[in-house]
């Protein structure tokens, strides 16, 4: 496995960063997870745009243009030879001292890993997943806005631990107002009376690129889509439920806090959207020349 570390392609064993890197010491940095389907990088521009927005929020100068980040990502994918996989793009504040002050970090660290990922076992894509709402609240917008894809995922990890402790693979995070925000690494959708509903960004949600892709697919299929606040009540009484994310893709949910959704089987609209999503991943994307 080759890793692009600050522009140099190195072996996995040589892909090491300093213990003084603030990405490690403080989670001070930003990242993206991107998929490659059949040698095409899916929604690369959208991911790089989001990376730069996250960096802007935390006042991190990536030190490269978007075009250069795209070029480095494509180059690493080409060298990897991986045609169906997952890319992790990370930019940290870089090496500093033991204080928090980011001004002491003179140069950001970046790396690109091209590998594979399987977030949930395959059978759950056919049978649906069971999820749990957790006590850990979603970060409030004015503390660390969940639209920022920062390296600080402890809020999500605490939620994941709680779900795991309940024997569940995934957690749904509720925000301080009691509204549903998102899962630890995925966005949430419900289907109610033929309409598709997903929580609006202000409830503490990452603007998922898969979420946006599913919304545009639904609109093309003339399905009505709305961004509305949801409580646990709407989850429990949904006709269908599914989650979206780059790593997870589109995955059906058939149980929330022991309440069965659609009798415990993936719903019709969910299955249709899964099929259509698969189709667009086959025809879209930035071509990699291997
Ligand atoms: N929410 C969170 C917290 C995530 O980490 C992710 C994965 N990036 C998502 C939602 C889904 O976003 P996307 O579809 O862009 O991968």
């Amino acid at each position: 496995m080759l890793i692009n570390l600050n522009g140099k392609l190195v072996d996995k064993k040589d892909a090491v960063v300093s213990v003084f890197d603030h990405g490690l010491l403080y989670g001070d940095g930003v990242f993206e997870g991107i998929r490659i389907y059949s040698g095409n990088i899916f929604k690369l521009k959208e991911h790089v745009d989001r990376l730069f927005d996250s960096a802007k929020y935390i006042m991190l100068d990536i030190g490269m243009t978007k075009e250069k980040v795209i070029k480095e990502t494509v180059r690493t994918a080409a060298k990897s030879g991986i045609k169906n996989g997952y890319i992790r793009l990370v930019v940290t504040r870089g090496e500093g001292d033991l204080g928090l002050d980011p001004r002491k970090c003179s140069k950001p660290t970046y790396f690109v890993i091209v590998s594979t990922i399987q977030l949930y076992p395959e059978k759950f894509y056919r049978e649906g997943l069971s999820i749990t709402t957790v006590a850990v609240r979603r970060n409030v917008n004015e503390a660390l806005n969940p639209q920022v894809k920062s390296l600080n995922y402890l809020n999500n990890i605490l939620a994941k631990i709680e779900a795991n402790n309940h024997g569940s693979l995934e957690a749904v995070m509720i925000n301080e107002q009691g509204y549903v925000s998102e899962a630890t690494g995925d966005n949430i959708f419900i289907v109610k009376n033929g309409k598709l509903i997903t929580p609006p960004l202000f409830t503490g949600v990452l603007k998922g690129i898969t979420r946006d892709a599913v919304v545009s697919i639904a609109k093309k299929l003339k399905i009505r889509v709305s961004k509305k606040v949801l409580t646990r009540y709407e989850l429990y009484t949904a006709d269908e439920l599914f989650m979206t994310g780059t790593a997870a893709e589109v995955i059906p949910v058939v149980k929330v806090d022991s309440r069965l959704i659609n009798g415990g089987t993936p719903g019709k609209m969910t299955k249709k959207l899964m099929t259509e999503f698969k189709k667009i991943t086959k025809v879209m994307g930035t071509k990699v020349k291997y």
Side-chain angles (χ1 to χ4, degrees):
M1 188 194 286
L2 283 176
I3 287 145
N4 183 336
L5 177 61
N6 296 316
K8 280 201 189 87
L9 290 167
V10 296
D11 283 339
K12 186 178 170 185
K13 67 170 176 28
D14 300 318
V16 289
V17 297
S18 164
V19 294
F20 289 94
D21 195 301
H22 280 207
L24 172 65
L25 287 175
Y26 299 117
D28 186 356
V30 293
F31 78 103
E32 283 296 319
I34 313 168
R35 279 229 183 231
I36 324 176
Y37 293 101
S38 319
N40 297 310
I41 305 179
F42 188 63
K43 304 266 181 193
L44 179 56
K45 181 183 178 302
E46 286 80 353
H47 282 284
V48 171
D49 283 346
R50 190 170 67 185
L51 182 82
F52 275 74
D53 286 346
S54 297
K56 183 164 188 191
Y57 179 91
I58 70 161
M59 294 190 77
L60 167 63
D61 181 0
I62 290 178
M64 284 183 283
T65 61
K66 287 185 182 177
E67 291 68 32
K68 174 76 174 161
V69 172
I70 288 175
K71 232 172 128 176
E72 286 297 307
T73 308
V74 174
R75 179 168 83 93
T76 316
K79 284 279 179 202
S80 77
I82 294 175
K83 302 225 160 107
N84 290 286
Y86 178 83
I87 302 171
R88 179 58 58 88
L89 186 54
V90 180
V91 187
T92 80
R93 189 78 65 182
E95 209 176 314
D97 64 14
L98 292 176
L100 284 178
D101 196 340
R103 290 173 302 185
K104 304 271 178 65
C105 307
S106 55
K107 205 163 146 268
T109 302
Y110 84 87
F111 50 90
V112 188
I113 306 168
V114 185
S115 184
T116 54
I117 198 166
Q118 173 90 43
L119 211 58
Y120 307 110
E122 194 51 47
K123 76 167 193 153
F124 294 113
Y125 289 83
R126 294 186 306 272
E127 298 171 7
L129 201 63
S130 170
I131 62 176
T132 312
T133 61
V134 293
V136 170
R137 290 298 178 250
R138 188 68 176 119
N139 278 339
V140 296
N141 288 333
E142 292 311 316
L144 172 55
N145 196 307
Q147 286 195 70
V148 180
K149 204 165 166 55
S150 82
L151 289 179
N152 201 312
Y153 256 52
L154 262 184
N155 181 211
N156 312 47
I157 291 164
L158 287 172
K160 190 79 152 183
I161 289 170
E162 205 179 322
N164 291 164
N165 288 345
H166 286 102
S168 177
L169 285 181
E170 191 50 281
V172 180
M173 288 184 283
I174 310 287
N175 71 13
E176 277 295 309
Q177 284 80 42
Y179 298 129
V180 171
S181 61
E182 61 182 346
T184 63
D186 306 316
N187 292 111
I188 289 178
F189 283 85
I190 66 161
V191 178
K192 188 71 178 175
N193 299 325
K195 277 189 251 162
L196 199 55
I197 309 167
T198 193
L201 298 178
F202 71 81
T203 57
V205 171
L206 183 77
K207 192 175 184 304
I209 288 162
T210 321
R211 174 184 184 262
D212 286 348
V214 165
V215 165
S216 28
I217 291 169
K219 287 185 175 159
K220 277 203 190 103
L221 295 173
K222 305 267 188 282
I223 297 167
R224 282 188 43 207
V225 186
S226 57
K227 315 252 165 74
K228 269 192 1 197
V229 289
L230 303 172
T231 65
R232 282 192 292 179
Y233 176 83
E234 280 79 29
L235 296 188
Y236 296 167
T237 58
D239 297 332
E240 297 182 29
L241 215 155
F242 62 87
M243 302 189 303
T244 63
T246 297
E249 303 176 289
V250 183
I251 182 152
V253 174
V254 292
K255 210 195 253 185
V256 185
D257 297 343
S258 305
R259 278 84 168 172
L260 285 186
I261 309 296
N262 193 43
T265 51
K268 227 167 127 183
M269 192 186 287
T270 304
K271 287 200 270 190
K272 176 79 184 155
L273 291 167
M274 286 171 78
T275 308
E276 294 301 315
F277 178 73
K278 250 209 176 86
K279 273 191 207 159
I280 67 160
T281 61
K282 291 213 169 87
V283 293
M284 284 176 77
T286 306
K287 202 151 198 56
V288 178
K289 288 197 191 85
Y290 291 89

